[in-house]
Amino acid sequence: MRDADVAVAGAGVERRLLAVLRDCGRHARVATAARALSFGGEHGALWLAAGLAGAAVDRNRRAGWLRGTALIAGAHLASMGVKRVVRRPRPAAVEYEPLVRTAGRHSFPSSHATSAAAAAVAFAALRPAAGRVAVPASAAMCVSRLIVGVHYPTDVAAGALLGAVTAALGRAWLRAPGPALPGGRRG
């Protein structure tokens, strides 16, 4: 097969997968959950709030939680920069309109997936128990973007990869000792 034939076949597979997942959005409970995840993930809000909450309750790792929150924000900003360069349009409404509105017209990479994956990696590095919650929540966030019909699967995969790599590169920084807290503990 020629490269062009492979690209066309890949685009067909991607569109079929998107159609199957968008069809899941016809079920009221699935649509409600996907909308809620999309709303919560807008501009990384859910993950940034979770990082700040971690900093508030986990005094021994406060500096790490704050650094993790900064990594999530940085990954999200990086995805927005890539979107402005790539400028891939969002999927067109095939059988029905998307279930949510979007902040922008561009699709690649998914910023929701970027911040979700960055959070999953960062939170798991800070506290394995947090990772056991963040990883499946991150996966659900990624799938929700397909169900609501605003991203192609490759948008979500690229976003997740960008977020995971960003957080993985900052893993040593997450675990670096923070400033001393009252009582001589480290933050």
Side-chain angles (χ1 to χ4, degrees), residues 29-182:
R29 287 185 180 149
V30 173
T32 299
R35 281 188 187 110
L37 285 165
S38 288
F39 178 75
E42 198 64 46
H43 302 295
L46 171 71
W47 309 109
L48 297 173
L52 293 175
V57 300
D58 188 358
R59 293 179 56 104
N60 293 332
R61 291 180 184 82
R62 178 170 288 154
W65 283 103
L66 293 173
R67 290 175 184 145
T69 303
L71 283 173
I72 294 163
H76 185 81
L77 289 172
S79 73
M80 292 171 55
V82 173
K83 275 186 193 218
R84 294 190 188 282
V85 171
V86 175
R87 305 179 68 81
R88 182 183 194 185
R90 293 195 183 269
V94 177
E95 292 184 37
Y96 57 93
E97 290 296 314
L99 300 176
V100 296
R101 293 184 193 192
T102 59
R105 298 183 323 241
H106 301 117
S107 181
F108 183 92
S110 165
S111 295
H112 279 70
T114 302
S115 57
V121 171
F123 296 168
L126 289 167
R127 278 219 177 256
R132 287 191 290 276
V133 173
V135 170
S138 172
M141 176 76 69
C142 290
V143 172
S144 79
R145 302 307 284 164
L146 300 168
I147 291 171
V148 298
V150 295
H151 283 290
Y152 294 104
T154 51
D155 301 335
V156 172
L161 180 63
L162 176 61
V165 167
T166 301
L169 289 173
R171 190 173 287 149
W173 183 54
L174 286 173
R175 294 182 180 148
L181 296 172

